[in-house]
Amino acid sequence: MAPHHVLKCCQRSLAWIPVIFINLVVGWSYYAYVVELCIFTIPNNAEKISYLVVFHLFFIMFIWSYWKTICSRPASPSKEFCLAKVEKEQYEKEQPDAQQNILKKAAVGLPVYTRTGTGAVRYCDHCQVIKPDRCHHCSTCDMCVLKMDHHCPWVNNCVGFSNYKFFVLFLAYSMLYCVFIAATVLQYFIKFWTNQLPDTHAKFHVLFLFFVAAMFFISILSLFSYHLWLVGKNRTTIEAFRAPVFRNGPDKNGFSLGFSRNVVEVFGDQKKYWMFPIYTRKGCSYDK
């Protein structure tokens, strides 16, 4: 049987397969659009240049937001949520009821308002920390993640407090990227399909490019719309399926501050930076 660390290494390597797949598709779409469509198929230079300018604008923003989502390290609870050494040793020796008393004393003064379904203080035995509100343990990342939304295999990363803005922008720009390709390729797709253009090596790329762009646009549109709804409600995907429990009981709107402030919670208070995948919220960046 292979050692545990070898299995972990294999799992981490395999987790990059969806990311590699997306990058291969995007790389091919770039070649198909720029080379096969714009250079070899479109005869009008003005149309060709305008298409290339807009295409590269969407392409850059899409790749930028995508890799920011991938590379942003998930935010974990700060040291103040860890039990002191004495408390930790005592916690490990006690029974569940006594353990809760230790956690309640340790949680005094901490900004913790949510509880488990039974009303207990939320504690991660694996990470050995009192869980801040909206924090959950990700078994894939093997850590507690602040404001965890979900673990996304397409970015091989946890989507949460540190990169949720980047993830929403990634969905937005990938959708714009796909719809722009589909809209501009459509007329040449029809011409190739109806044999108004000669059969060349560009035909396959143009026909397939339209189908792929349209397919991805439809699938991303529903996901993007759902996350816009979550932003407006100030909920995570986890909270949408299971309402957070407070001292007075479950409340699905417990973190809502009103639509405008909910948007600011994700994108920051400076609107001029909303469309860029850069840190615009205090506490999101590790350069603080």
Side-chain angles (χ1 to χ4, degrees):
M1 183 176 180
H4 179 70
H5 69 277
V6 175
L7 291 175
K8 278 286 186 182
C9 184
C10 291
Q11 288 176 348
R12 289 172 182 171
S13 299
L14 291 173
W16 284 101
I17 291 177
V19 176
I20 294 171
F21 171 75
I22 291 295
N23 279 274
L24 288 175
V25 172
V26 172
W28 165 79
S29 71
Y30 183 90
Y31 166 79
Y33 192 90
V34 173
V35 179
E36 299 293 348
L37 178 70
C38 290
I39 295 178
F40 291 147
T41 304
I42 299 177
N44 187 297
N45 286 331
E47 181 183 15
K48 184 184 301 186
I49 293 171
S50 62
Y51 279 8
L52 285 172
V53 169
V54 179
F55 171 83
H56 279 92
L57 177 63
F58 287 142
F59 178 79
I60 290 169
M61 297 305 292
F62 163 53
I63 293 298
W64 186 9
S65 57
Y66 181 53
W67 278 97
K68 283 289 284 187
T69 308
I70 292 173
C71 297
S72 297
R73 183 162 59 94
S76 57
S78 58
K79 292 181 180 179
E80 63 182 321
F81 291 91
C82 298
L83 294 179
K85 185 178 180 180
V86 176
E87 292 174 327
K88 191 180 298 182
E89 291 175 351
Q90 186 181 359
Y91 176 87
E92 292 172 351
K93 296 176 183 177
E94 298 292 346
Q95 296 299 314
D97 290 341
Q99 286 179 334
Q100 266 303 301
N101 291 330
I102 295 171
L103 293 178
K104 287 178 181 178
K105 290 179 181 178
V108 173
L110 292 177
V112 177
Y113 302 98
T114 54
R115 295 289 186 265
T116 65
T118 59
V121 174
R122 299 169 66 241
Y123 181 75
C124 180
D125 289 304
H126 188 81
C127 297
Q128 297 185 322
V129 295
I130 294 173
K131 292 182 182 179
D133 295 340
R134 319 185 83 175
C135 176
H136 298 275
H137 184 84
C138 176
S139 57
T140 305
C141 293
D142 197 28
M143 63 182 291
C144 282
V145 178
L146 296 181
K147 197 185 175 184
M148 179 178 172
D149 187 89
H150 69 289
H151 185 91
C152 180
W154 299 109
V155 299
N156 191 28
N157 200 3
C158 243
V159 176
F161 180 76
S162 64
N163 63 355
Y164 187 60
K165 174 192 173 182
F166 306 151
F167 178 75
V168 175
L169 288 178
F170 154 60
L171 294 178
Y173 286 121
S174 59
M175 190 177 66
L176 290 173
Y177 180 73
C178 290
V179 75
F180 176 77
I181 289 176
T184 52
V185 167
L186 180 58
Q187 62 173 310
Y188 297 98
F189 169 86
I190 295 172
K191 288 179 180 179
F192 273 121
W193 191 266
T194 56
N195 296 317
Q196 295 179 44
L197 288 174
D199 285 344
T200 63
H201 55 80
K203 181 176 181 178
F204 165 78
H205 291 282
V206 172
L207 294 178
F208 197 53
L209 184 61
F210 176 80
F211 281 121
V212 171
M215 179 186 68
F216 273 95
F217 168 72
I218 293 170
S219 61
I220 294 170
L221 177 61
S222 58
L223 184 61
F224 177 65
S225 301
Y226 175 67
H227 278 281
L228 284 184
W229 179 80
L230 290 178
V231 170
K233 296 289 185 180
N234 198 5
R235 294 179 197 168
T236 63
T237 299
I238 294 174
E239 292 162 358
F241 285 95
R242 186 176 67 250
V245 179
F246 295 85
R247 294 172 186 175
N248 297 326
D251 184 1
K252 62 181 181 180
N253 295 314
F255 295 110
S256 181
L257 304 171
F259 179 79
S260 297
R261 292 183 65 186
N262 289 344
V263 174
V264 170
E265 277 285 296
V266 174
F267 291 96
D269 55 4
Q270 297 188 58
K271 294 182 179 180
K272 61 183 178 180
Y273 297 126
W274 282 7
M275 63 186 295
F276 299 105
I278 57 177
Y279 292 110
T280 50
R281 284 193 56 207
K282 184 178 180 182
C284 282
S285 172
Y286 282 89
D287 302 324
K288 59 183 183 288

